[in-house]
């Protein structure tokens, strides 16, 4: 890892990749179309040919990152694409500098991951995405959009933060659970705001591709059909995300909206939450009514995109940052059914318990 850069790897796919490589693919069982979620077992379902090509890979990256470039400028920063830190690339890619070369080399890489970080030297914020991530059999355009939003979340989601190393000198980035919540609550809401969110590219309704329990939850929060459709689509993206992620252990049950993780942490989790906890977080973000303009809905969370909750405070890991983050999210006192799940987030964490100033 290069000095002066904080890097957060978005998620690990080792178990999933090993499972795929251990079994020869049967061409008769490969499909271009995406299987609906949840499959009887979404981790052993019929495998598909990847549905994303390089052009779509590039389009999704730009569609997510370009709007956030303007918001980074408000913090005197810029977002730069990079080849993911751990990706293996040809020699001619090692020193790639221009964006086209970086995207070409990233796509050629089989690295099934993404990362984000900040530089202390020149206030550059980095995001890298491996092409292997887009080619995972379970990945969809919606899922990859959520992955990019997760990486953006490491930079913009705010408290709780993770600082690299025990010195606490690196600039803070948001922990993975917070990046997940921001991705579903804020980022895809922004990116998909003008889309027809009722159907996917194949004309299948998102409402038909998610669990009935998720449909019921979306309907209990939202009345306008367009808001319900966005909720369904976000849940679908979350399911694609965790399905591509795979289970950390073979014996773990497949994540389901109907079986939330009931564990409660005493100290906010610095690491990647388990697949069920991550799905719970995406669902909670989808269920949190959020607007960028207070005139749109006075009963919703008003999200001020010009701010990063807690980022500019002298103590970004302290109680003031915690309290500020509450105003940017649903919580136990305001839309509690959409609060950040306790399986990774501890709203009662004390400074002595280790606010996210150090790893």
């Amino acid at each position: 890892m290069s000095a002066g850069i904080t890097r957060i790897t978005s998620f690990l796919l080792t178990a999933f990749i090993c499972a795929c490589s251990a079994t020869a693919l049967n061409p008769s069982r490969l499909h271009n179309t995406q299987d609906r979620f949840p499959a009887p077992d979404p981790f052993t379902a019929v495998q598909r040919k990847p549905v994303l090509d390089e052009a779509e890979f590039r389009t999704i990256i730009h569609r997510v990152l370009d709007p956030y470039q303007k918001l980074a400028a408000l913090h005197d920063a810029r977002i730069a694409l990079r080849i993911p830190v751990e990706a293996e690339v040809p020699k001619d890619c090692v020193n790639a500098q221009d964006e086209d070369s970086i995207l070409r080399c990233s796509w050629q890489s089989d690295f099934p991951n993404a990362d984000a970080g900040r530089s202390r030297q020149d206030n550059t914020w980095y995001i890298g995405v491996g092409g292997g991530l887009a080619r995972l059999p379970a990945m969809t355009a919606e899922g990859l959009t959520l992955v990019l939003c997760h990486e953006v979340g490491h930079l913009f989601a705010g408290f709780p933060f993770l600082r690299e190393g025990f010195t606490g000198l690196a600039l803070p980035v948001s922990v993975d659970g917070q990046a997940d919540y921001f991705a579903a609550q804020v980022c895809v809401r922004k990116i998909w705001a003008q889309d027809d969110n009722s159907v996917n590219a194949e004309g299948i309704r998102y409402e038909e591709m998610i669990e009935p329990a998720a449909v019921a939850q979306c309907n209990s929060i939202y009345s306008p059909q367009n808001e319900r459709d966005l909720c369904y689509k976000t849940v679908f993206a979350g399911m694609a995300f965790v399905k591509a992620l795979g289970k950390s252990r073979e014996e773990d049950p497949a994540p389901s909206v109907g079986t939330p993780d009931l564990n409660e942490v005493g100290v906010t989790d610095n690491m990647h939450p388990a697949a069920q906890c991550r799905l719970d977080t995406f669902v909670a973000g989808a269920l949190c009514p959020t607007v960028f303009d207070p005139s749109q809905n006075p009963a919703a969370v008003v999200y001020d995109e010009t701010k990063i909750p807690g980022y500019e405070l002298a103590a970004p890991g302290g109680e003031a940052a915690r309290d500020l983050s509450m105003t940017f999210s649903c919580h136990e006192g305001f839309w509690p059914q959409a609060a950040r799940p306790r399986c990774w987030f501890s709203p009662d964490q004390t400074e002595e318990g280790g606010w996210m100033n150090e790893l």
Side-chain angles (χ1 to χ4, degrees):
M1 188 183 307
S2 58
I5 293 179
T6 300
R7 179 180 57 76
I8 295 296
T9 303
S10 70
F11 53 87
L12 301 176
L13 296 144
T14 304
F16 181 81
I17 298 303
C18 291
C20 288
S21 60
T23 303
L25 298 182
N26 181 349
S28 66
R29 297 182 67 246
L30 289 174
H31 299 271
N32 284 317
T33 186
Q34 57 204 37
D35 46 296
R36 301 184 182 192
F37 300 129
D41 179 347
F43 298 100
T44 58
V46 174
Q47 294 174 319
R48 297 176 295 103
K49 295 178 182 177
V51 297
L52 300 173
D53 58 24
E54 183 178 357
E56 292 167 310
F57 175 76
R58 288 173 175 247
T59 295
I60 291 171
I61 289 173
H62 275 294
R63 191 175 188 208
V64 174
L65 299 191
D66 288 354
Y68 280 95
Q69 197 68 261
K70 296 178 181 178
L71 296 177
L74 298 177
H75 302 277
D76 298 320
R78 67 182 184 92
I79 300 173
L81 287 168
R82 70 176 176 196
I83 299 170
V85 171
E86 297 179 358
E88 294 184 4
V89 294
K91 289 183 179 179
D92 67 329
C93 289
V94 172
N95 296 316
Q97 298 292 327
D98 64 283
E99 185 175 282
D100 182 69
S101 295
I102 289 172
L103 286 172
R104 172 181 58 81
C105 294
S106 296
W107 172 255
Q108 291 174 349
S109 167
D110 288 330
F111 188 62
N113 219 317
D115 59 24
R118 307 183 197 272
S119 168
R120 290 196 298 269
Q121 279 78 22
D122 57 7
N123 214 18
T124 300
W125 299 354
Y126 293 101
I127 288 180
V129 187
L133 183 64
R135 291 188 289 274
L136 289 173
M139 188 55 72
T140 68
E142 299 88 353
L144 186 60
T145 300
L146 194 64
V147 169
L148 264 296
C149 278
H150 167 91
E151 298 307 330
V152 167
H154 277 306
L155 304 175
F156 288 91
F159 179 91
F161 294 107
L162 169 70
R163 288 196 175 199
E164 182 181 54
F166 291 93
T167 64
L169 294 177
L171 292 174
V173 293
S174 299
V175 299
D176 280 279
Q178 182 64 18
D180 284 347
Y181 190 74
F182 173 92
Q185 180 207 0
V186 179
C187 182
V188 294
R189 193 182 302 271
K190 177 182 181 70
I191 302 305
W192 291 333
Q194 303 304 317
D195 291 4
D196 176 0
N197 294 308
S198 61
V199 297
N200 69 357
E202 298 170 331
I204 305 173
R205 296 188 64 83
Y206 291 108
E207 183 178 5
E208 299 173 0
M209 294 191 290
I210 62 174
E211 297 173 71
V215 173
Q217 289 185 51
C218 288
N219 292 351
S220 71
I221 297 289
Y222 303 106
S223 296
Q225 190 60 49
N226 65 319
E227 294 181 7
R228 289 181 172 182
D229 288 338
L230 178 58
C231 185
Y232 307 150
K233 183 177 181 178
T234 304
V235 172
F236 176 83
M239 194 64 228
F241 186 117
V242 299
K243 186 176 178 183
L245 167 65
K247 295 182 288 187
S248 56
R249 299 181 305 171
E250 187 62 32
E251 62 269 24
D252 288 344
S256 167
V257 175
T259 58
D261 188 335
L262 300 180
N263 293 308
E264 294 191 5
V265 296
V267 175
T268 295
D269 190 355
N270 285 323
M271 308 303 290
H272 302 98
Q276 180 64 59
C277 185
R278 299 192 83 168
L279 178 60
D280 297 345
T281 303
F282 292 133
V283 172
L287 293 175
C288 183
T290 303
V291 296
F292 304 113
D293 180 350
S295 66
Q296 292 177 308
N297 181 359
V301 172
V302 179
Y303 201 97
D304 184 351
E305 290 190 287
T306 68
K307 303 184 186 309
I308 301 175
Y311 177 66
E312 295 177 346
L313 295 179
E319 293 187 13
R322 187 273 312 273
D323 294 344
L324 183 61
S325 78
M326 292 295 187
T327 69
F328 281 70
S329 66
C330 291
H331 52 81
E332 282 71 11
F334 190 69
W335 297 102
Q337 61 271 57
R340 288 170 285 188
R342 293 295 300 269
C343 54
W344 68 267
F345 178 63
S346 174
D348 301 321
Q349 184 176 337
T350 65
E351 188 169 359
E352 289 72 22
W355 290 110
M356 300 299 105
N357 287 333
E358 296 182 354
L359 178 60

mmCIF file of all heavy atoms in Angstrom, residues 167-204:
data_model
loop_
_atom_site.group_PDB
_atom_site.id
_atom_site.type_symbol
_atom_site.label_atom_id
_atom_site.label_comp_id
_atom_site.label_asym_id
_atom_site.label_seq_id
_atom_site.Cartn_x
_atom_site.Cartn_y
_atom_site.Cartn_z
ATOM 1 N N THR A 167 -2.071 5.209 14.204
ATOM 2 C CA THR A 167 -1.688 6.592 14.428
ATOM 3 C C THR A 167 -2.859 7.535 14.268
ATOM 4 O O THR A 167 -2.867 8.633 14.812
ATOM 5 C CB THR A 167 -0.586 7.009 13.443
ATOM 6 O OG1 THR A 167 -1.102 6.959 12.103
ATOM 7 C CG2 THR A 167 0.619 6.090 13.556
ATOM 8 N N GLY A 168 -3.868 7.129 13.495
ATOM 9 C CA GLY A 168 -5.000 8.012 13.242
ATOM 10 C C GLY A 168 -4.658 9.179 12.350
ATOM 11 O O GLY A 168 -5.405 10.145 12.284
ATOM 12 N N LEU A 169 -3.529 9.108 11.623
ATOM 13 C CA LEU A 169 -3.085 10.249 10.823
ATOM 14 C C LEU A 169 -3.754 10.315 9.452
ATOM 15 O O LEU A 169 -3.831 11.369 8.845
ATOM 16 C CB LEU A 169 -1.562 10.193 10.635
ATOM 17 C CG LEU A 169 -0.733 10.375 11.908
ATOM 18 C CD1 LEU A 169 0.747 10.232 11.586
ATOM 19 C CD2 LEU A 169 -1.001 11.742 12.525
ATOM 20 N N ALA A 170 -4.223 9.195 8.952
ATOM 21 C CA ALA A 170 -4.823 9.189 7.624
ATOM 22 C C ALA A 170 -6.177 9.882 7.647
ATOM 23 O O ALA A 170 -6.868 9.901 8.670
ATOM 24 C CB ALA A 170 -4.979 7.759 7.117
ATOM 25 N N LEU A 171 -6.549 10.470 6.547
ATOM 26 C CA LEU A 171 -7.854 11.114 6.471
ATOM 27 C C LEU A 171 -8.954 10.070 6.629
ATOM 28 O O LEU A 171 -8.839 8.963 6.115
ATOM 29 C CB LEU A 171 -8.008 11.829 5.129
ATOM 30 C CG LEU A 171 -7.107 13.045 4.912
ATOM 31 C CD1 LEU A 171 -7.257 13.554 3.487
ATOM 32 C CD2 LEU A 171 -7.429 14.145 5.891
ATOM 33 N N PRO A 172 -10.034 10.384 7.325
ATOM 34 C CA PRO A 172 -11.037 9.365 7.612
ATOM 35 C C PRO A 172 -11.877 9.011 6.388
ATOM 36 O O PRO A 172 -12.199 9.857 5.557
ATOM 37 C CB PRO A 172 -11.909 10.035 8.687
ATOM 38 C CG PRO A 172 -11.751 11.503 8.443
ATOM 39 C CD PRO A 172 -10.346 11.684 7.944
ATOM 40 N N VAL A 173 -12.192 7.745 6.303
ATOM 41 C CA VAL A 173 -13.176 7.256 5.338
ATOM 42 C C VAL A 173 -14.246 6.520 6.123
ATOM 43 O O VAL A 173 -13.998 6.022 7.219
ATOM 44 C CB VAL A 173 -12.543 6.332 4.279
ATOM 45 C CG1 VAL A 173 -11.592 7.097 3.380
ATOM 46 C CG2 VAL A 173 -11.834 5.165 4.940
ATOM 47 N N SER A 174 -15.438 6.455 5.577
ATOM 48 C CA SER A 174 -16.550 5.830 6.294
ATOM 49 C C SER A 174 -16.376 4.319 6.343
ATOM 50 O O SER A 174 -15.872 3.704 5.405
ATOM 51 C CB SER A 174 -17.872 6.167 5.594
ATOM 52 O OG SER A 174 -18.087 7.558 5.586
ATOM 53 N N VAL A 175 -16.819 3.710 7.444
ATOM 54 C CA VAL A 175 -16.771 2.258 7.568
ATOM 55 C C VAL A 175 -17.718 1.645 6.546
ATOM 56 O O VAL A 175 -18.598 2.305 5.994
ATOM 57 C CB VAL A 175 -17.150 1.804 8.996
ATOM 58 C CG1 VAL A 175 -16.182 2.358 10.014
ATOM 59 C CG2 VAL A 175 -18.586 2.207 9.343
ATOM 60 N N ASP A 176 -17.560 0.348 6.299
ATOM 61 C CA ASP A 176 -18.316 -0.304 5.229
ATOM 62 C C ASP A 176 -19.825 -0.269 5.456
ATOM 63 O O ASP A 176 -20.597 -0.085 4.515
ATOM 64 C CB ASP A 176 -17.841 -1.746 5.067
ATOM 65 C CG ASP A 176 -16.556 -1.822 4.268
ATOM 66 O OD1 ASP A 176 -16.624 -1.760 3.029
ATOM 67 O OD2 ASP A 176 -15.480 -1.921 4.875
ATOM 68 N N GLY A 177 -20.260 -0.460 6.695
ATOM 69 C CA GLY A 177 -21.693 -0.419 6.943
ATOM 70 C C GLY A 177 -22.293 0.934 6.597
ATOM 71 O O GLY A 177 -23.374 1.026 6.007
ATOM 72 N N GLN A 178 -21.587 2.009 6.949
ATOM 73 C CA GLN A 178 -22.068 3.344 6.623
ATOM 74 C C GLN A 178 -22.055 3.575 5.116
ATOM 75 O O GLN A 178 -22.968 4.209 4.568
ATOM 76 C CB GLN A 178 -21.212 4.398 7.326
ATOM 77 C CG GLN A 178 -21.643 5.839 7.091
ATOM 78 C CD GLN A 178 -23.021 6.158 7.651
ATOM 79 O OE1 GLN A 178 -23.525 5.425 8.504
ATOM 80 N NE2 GLN A 178 -23.633 7.223 7.186
ATOM 81 N N ALA A 179 -21.031 3.080 4.426
ATOM 82 C CA ALA A 179 -20.976 3.214 2.970
ATOM 83 C C ALA A 179 -22.132 2.463 2.317
ATOM 84 O O ALA A 179 -22.720 2.934 1.334
ATOM 85 C CB ALA A 179 -19.641 2.692 2.447
ATOM 86 N N ASP A 180 -22.494 1.290 2.860
ATOM 87 C CA ASP A 180 -23.640 0.543 2.349
ATOM 88 C C ASP A 180 -24.940 1.335 2.531
ATOM 89 O O ASP A 180 -25.769 1.427 1.622
ATOM 90 C CB ASP A 180 -23.768 -0.793 3.086
ATOM 91 C CG ASP A 180 -22.754 -1.834 2.639
ATOM 92 O OD1 ASP A 180 -22.110 -1.634 1.592
ATOM 93 O OD2 ASP A 180 -22.619 -2.857 3.339
ATOM 94 N N TYR A 181 -25.112 1.879 3.724
ATOM 95 C CA TYR A 181 -26.355 2.606 4.024
ATOM 96 C C TYR A 181 -26.489 3.836 3.122
ATOM 97 O O TYR A 181 -27.552 4.091 2.553
ATOM 98 C CB TYR A 181 -26.352 3.019 5.497
ATOM 99 C CG TYR A 181 -27.668 3.567 6.006
ATOM 100 C CD1 TYR A 181 -28.751 2.722 6.236
ATOM 101 C CD2 TYR A 181 -27.822 4.929 6.287
ATOM 102 C CE1 TYR A 181 -29.958 3.222 6.719
ATOM 103 C CE2 TYR A 181 -29.013 5.436 6.775
ATOM 104 C CZ TYR A 181 -30.088 4.575 6.984
ATOM 105 O OH TYR A 181 -31.271 5.076 7.457
ATOM 106 N N PHE A 182 -25.412 4.584 2.987
ATOM 107 C CA PHE A 182 -25.405 5.763 2.117
ATOM 108 C C PHE A 182 -25.705 5.367 0.671
ATOM 109 O O PHE A 182 -26.442 6.076 -0.033
ATOM 110 C CB PHE A 182 -24.038 6.434 2.204
ATOM 111 C CG PHE A 182 -23.829 7.573 1.239
ATOM 112 C CD1 PHE A 182 -24.119 8.877 1.604
ATOM 113 C CD2 PHE A 182 -23.317 7.336 -0.035
ATOM 114 C CE1 PHE A 182 -23.911 9.933 0.717
ATOM 115 C CE2 PHE A 182 -23.115 8.381 -0.928
ATOM 116 C CZ PHE A 182 -23.407 9.677 -0.554
ATOM 117 N N ALA A 183 -25.146 4.260 0.220
ATOM 118 C CA ALA A 183 -25.360 3.827 -1.163
ATOM 119 C C ALA A 183 -26.841 3.662 -1.461
ATOM 120 O O ALA A 183 -27.322 4.097 -2.515
ATOM 121 C CB ALA A 183 -24.609 2.519 -1.418
ATOM 122 N N ALA A 184 -27.571 3.032 -0.537
ATOM 123 C CA ALA A 184 -28.993 2.773 -0.762
ATOM 124 C C ALA A 184 -29.876 3.958 -0.396
ATOM 125 O O ALA A 184 -30.890 4.219 -1.053
ATOM 126 C CB ALA A 184 -29.423 1.541 0.041
ATOM 127 N N GLN A 185 -29.518 4.667 0.668
ATOM 128 C CA GLN A 185 -30.349 5.787 1.120
ATOM 129 C C GLN A 185 -30.213 7.009 0.234
ATOM 130 O O GLN A 185 -31.200 7.706 -0.054
ATOM 131 C CB GLN A 185 -29.971 6.171 2.554
ATOM 132 C CG GLN A 185 -30.792 7.334 3.107
ATOM 133 C CD GLN A 185 -30.063 8.142 4.172
ATOM 134 O OE1 GLN A 185 -28.924 7.844 4.526
ATOM 135 N NE2 GLN A 185 -30.708 9.185 4.678
ATOM 136 N N VAL A 186 -28.982 7.289 -0.211
ATOM 137 C CA VAL A 186 -28.693 8.573 -0.849
ATOM 138 C C VAL A 186 -28.258 8.428 -2.310
ATOM 139 O O VAL A 186 -28.844 9.018 -3.212
ATOM 140 C CB VAL A 186 -27.603 9.335 -0.064
ATOM 141 C CG1 VAL A 186 -27.286 10.664 -0.729
ATOM 142 C CG2 VAL A 186 -28.043 9.549 1.380
ATOM 143 N N CYS A 187 -27.223 7.634 -2.536
ATOM 144 C CA CYS A 187 -26.554 7.660 -3.834
ATOM 145 C C CYS A 187 -27.428 7.151 -4.976
ATOM 146 O O CYS A 187 -27.589 7.837 -5.990
ATOM 147 C CB CYS A 187 -25.244 6.874 -3.750
ATOM 148 S SG CYS A 187 -24.287 6.887 -5.281
ATOM 149 N N VAL A 188 -27.990 5.945 -4.848
ATOM 150 C CA VAL A 188 -28.813 5.465 -5.967
ATOM 151 C C VAL A 188 -30.070 6.310 -6.119
ATOM 152 O O VAL A 188 -30.607 6.451 -7.226
ATOM 153 C CB VAL A 188 -29.174 3.972 -5.823
ATOM 154 C CG1 VAL A 188 -27.945 3.104 -5.924
ATOM 155 C CG2 VAL A 188 -29.954 3.682 -4.548
ATOM 156 N N ARG A 189 -30.553 6.893 -5.026
ATOM 157 C CA ARG A 189 -31.704 7.798 -5.119
ATOM 158 C C ARG A 189 -31.361 8.992 -6.009
ATOM 159 O O ARG A 189 -32.197 9.479 -6.767
ATOM 160 C CB ARG A 189 -32.083 8.266 -3.709
ATOM 161 C CG ARG A 189 -33.442 8.949 -3.604
ATOM 162 C CD ARG A 189 -33.678 9.397 -2.167
ATOM 163 N NE ARG A 189 -33.623 8.296 -1.232
ATOM 164 C CZ ARG A 189 -34.679 7.556 -0.891
ATOM 165 N NH1 ARG A 189 -35.855 7.810 -1.420
ATOM 166 N NH2 ARG A 189 -34.539 6.567 -0.015
ATOM 167 N N LYS A 190 -30.119 9.442 -5.902
ATOM 168 C CA LYS A 190 -29.654 10.556 -6.721
ATOM 169 C C LYS A 190 -29.442 10.115 -8.175
ATOM 170 O O LYS A 190 -29.887 10.787 -9.112
ATOM 171 C CB LYS A 190 -28.356 11.089 -6.138
ATOM 172 C CG LYS A 190 -27.680 12.230 -6.904
ATOM 173 C CD LYS A 190 -26.372 12.601 -6.220
ATOM 174 C CE LYS A 190 -25.667 13.748 -6.919
ATOM 175 N NZ LYS A 190 -26.399 15.016 -6.743
ATOM 176 N N ILE A 191 -28.778 8.976 -8.360
ATOM 177 C CA ILE A 191 -28.415 8.518 -9.701
ATOM 178 C C ILE A 191 -29.640 8.111 -10.500
ATOM 179 O O ILE A 191 -29.725 8.365 -11.707
ATOM 180 C CB ILE A 191 -27.416 7.344 -9.611
ATOM 181 C CG1 ILE A 191 -26.157 7.760 -8.829
ATOM 182 C CG2 ILE A 191 -27.047 6.833 -11.001
ATOM 183 C CD1 ILE A 191 -25.469 8.989 -9.375
ATOM 184 N N TRP A 192 -30.609 7.466 -9.860
ATOM 185 C CA TRP A 192 -31.776 6.945 -10.570
ATOM 186 C C TRP A 192 -32.987 7.879 -10.516
ATOM 187 O O TRP A 192 -34.087 7.490 -10.899
ATOM 188 C CB TRP A 192 -32.173 5.591 -9.976
ATOM 189 C CG TRP A 192 -31.177 4.492 -10.250
ATOM 190 C CD1 TRP A 192 -30.310 4.404 -11.295
ATOM 191 C CD2 TRP A 192 -30.971 3.315 -9.450
ATOM 192 N NE1 TRP A 192 -29.576 3.244 -11.209
ATOM 193 C CE2 TRP A 192 -29.955 2.560 -10.091
ATOM 194 C CE3 TRP A 192 -31.541 2.822 -8.276
ATOM 195 C CZ2 TRP A 192 -29.497 1.328 -9.575
ATOM 196 C CZ3 TRP A 192 -31.087 1.612 -7.761
ATOM 197 C CH2 TRP A 192 -30.077 0.871 -8.410
ATOM 198 N N ALA A 193 -32.798 9.099 -10.086
ATOM 199 C CA ALA A 193 -33.922 10.017 -9.841
ATOM 200 C C ALA A 193 -34.808 10.215 -11.065
ATOM 201 O O ALA A 193 -36.034 10.329 -10.951
ATOM 202 C CB ALA A 193 -33.403 11.358 -9.348
ATOM 203 N N GLN A 194 -34.225 10.270 -12.259
ATOM 204 C CA GLN A 194 -34.989 10.564 -13.459
ATOM 205 C C GLN A 194 -35.302 9.313 -14.284
ATOM 206 O O GLN A 194 -35.843 9.417 -15.393
ATOM 207 C CB GLN A 194 -34.224 11.574 -14.325
ATOM 208 C CG GLN A 194 -33.877 12.871 -13.627
ATOM 209 C CD GLN A 194 -35.090 13.578 -13.067
ATOM 210 O OE1 GLN A 194 -36.122 13.661 -13.721
ATOM 211 N NE2 GLN A 194 -34.968 14.090 -11.840
ATOM 212 N N ASP A 195 -34.978 8.146 -13.767
ATOM 213 C CA ASP A 195 -35.190 6.906 -14.521
ATOM 214 C C ASP A 195 -36.609 6.391 -14.368
ATOM 215 O O ASP A 195 -37.326 6.751 -13.416
ATOM 216 C CB ASP A 195 -34.225 5.822 -14.030
ATOM 217 C CG ASP A 195 -32.787 6.104 -14.395
ATOM 218 O OD1 ASP A 195 -32.513 7.184 -14.965
ATOM 219 O OD2 ASP A 195 -31.933 5.252 -14.099
ATOM 220 N N ASP A 196 -37.006 5.513 -15.298
ATOM 221 C CA ASP A 196 -38.189 4.688 -15.088
ATOM 222 C C ASP A 196 -37.724 3.508 -14.247
ATOM 223 O O ASP A 196 -37.067 2.587 -14.737
ATOM 224 C CB ASP A 196 -38.757 4.195 -16.422
ATOM 225 C CG ASP A 196 -39.935 3.238 -16.237
ATOM 226 O OD1 ASP A 196 -40.306 2.963 -15.078
ATOM 227 O OD2 ASP A 196 -40.462 2.738 -17.252
ATOM 228 N N ASN A 197 -38.030 3.527 -12.962
ATOM 229 C CA ASN A 197 -37.503 2.531 -12.040
ATOM 230 C C ASN A 197 -38.441 1.354 -11.821
ATOM 231 O O ASN A 197 -38.233 0.560 -10.900
ATOM 232 C CB ASN A 197 -37.183 3.200 -10.695
ATOM 233 C CG ASN A 197 -36.060 4.207 -10.813
ATOM 234 O OD1 ASN A 197 -34.996 3.899 -11.335
ATOM 235 N ND2 ASN A 197 -36.304 5.428 -10.345
ATOM 236 N N SER A 198 -39.441 1.234 -12.679
ATOM 237 C CA SER A 198 -40.402 0.143 -12.500
ATOM 238 C C SER A 198 -39.917 -1.173 -13.088
ATOM 239 O O SER A 198 -40.254 -2.246 -12.576
ATOM 240 C CB SER A 198 -41.753 0.521 -13.117
ATOM 241 O OG SER A 198 -41.619 0.751 -14.519
ATOM 242 N N VAL A 199 -39.120 -1.110 -14.177
ATOM 243 C CA VAL A 199 -38.702 -2.329 -14.859
ATOM 244 C C VAL A 199 -37.206 -2.292 -15.153
ATOM 245 O O VAL A 199 -36.601 -1.217 -15.237
ATOM 246 C CB VAL A 199 -39.468 -2.539 -16.189
ATOM 247 C CG1 VAL A 199 -40.959 -2.705 -15.924
ATOM 248 C CG2 VAL A 199 -39.217 -1.380 -17.143
ATOM 249 N N ASN A 200 -36.617 -3.473 -15.335
ATOM 250 C CA ASN A 200 -35.206 -3.539 -15.696
ATOM 251 C C ASN A 200 -35.054 -3.445 -17.214
ATOM 252 O O ASN A 200 -36.036 -3.236 -17.946
ATOM 253 C CB ASN A 200 -34.563 -4.810 -15.130
ATOM 254 C CG ASN A 200 -35.059 -6.082 -15.816
ATOM 255 O OD1 ASN A 200 -35.933 -6.060 -16.693
ATOM 256 N ND2 ASN A 200 -34.502 -7.210 -15.404
ATOM 257 N N ALA A 201 -33.830 -3.629 -17.700
ATOM 258 C CA ALA A 201 -33.565 -3.476 -19.132
ATOM 259 C C ALA A 201 -34.290 -4.517 -19.966
ATOM 260 O O ALA A 201 -34.497 -4.317 -21.173
ATOM 261 C CB ALA A 201 -32.061 -3.561 -19.388
ATOM 262 N N GLU A 202 -34.689 -5.619 -19.340
ATOM 263 C CA GLU A 202 -35.406 -6.669 -20.058
ATOM 264 C C GLU A 202 -36.913 -6.541 -19.918
ATOM 265 O O GLU A 202 -37.664 -7.402 -20.375
ATOM 266 C CB GLU A 202 -34.935 -8.030 -19.536
ATOM 267 C CG GLU A 202 -33.447 -8.271 -19.789
ATOM 268 C CD GLU A 202 -32.940 -9.492 -19.058
ATOM 269 O OE1 GLU A 202 -33.484 -9.832 -17.980
ATOM 270 O OE2 GLU A 202 -31.999 -10.124 -19.560
ATOM 271 N N GLY A 203 -37.359 -5.475 -19.274
ATOM 272 C CA GLY A 203 -38.789 -5.237 -19.148
ATOM 273 C C GLY A 203 -39.461 -5.977 -18.010
ATOM 274 O O GLY A 203 -40.695 -6.007 -17.941
ATOM 275 N N ILE A 204 -38.683 -6.560 -17.099
ATOM 276 C CA ILE A 204 -39.252 -7.282 -15.954
ATOM 277 C C ILE A 204 -39.391 -6.315 -14.790
ATOM 278 O O ILE A 204 -38.475 -5.562 -14.476
ATOM 279 C CB ILE A 204 -38.354 -8.460 -15.547
ATOM 280 C CG1 ILE A 204 -38.114 -9.386 -16.735
ATOM 281 C CG2 ILE A 204 -38.982 -9.240 -14.389
ATOM 282 C CD1 ILE A 204 -37.111 -10.486 -16.458
#
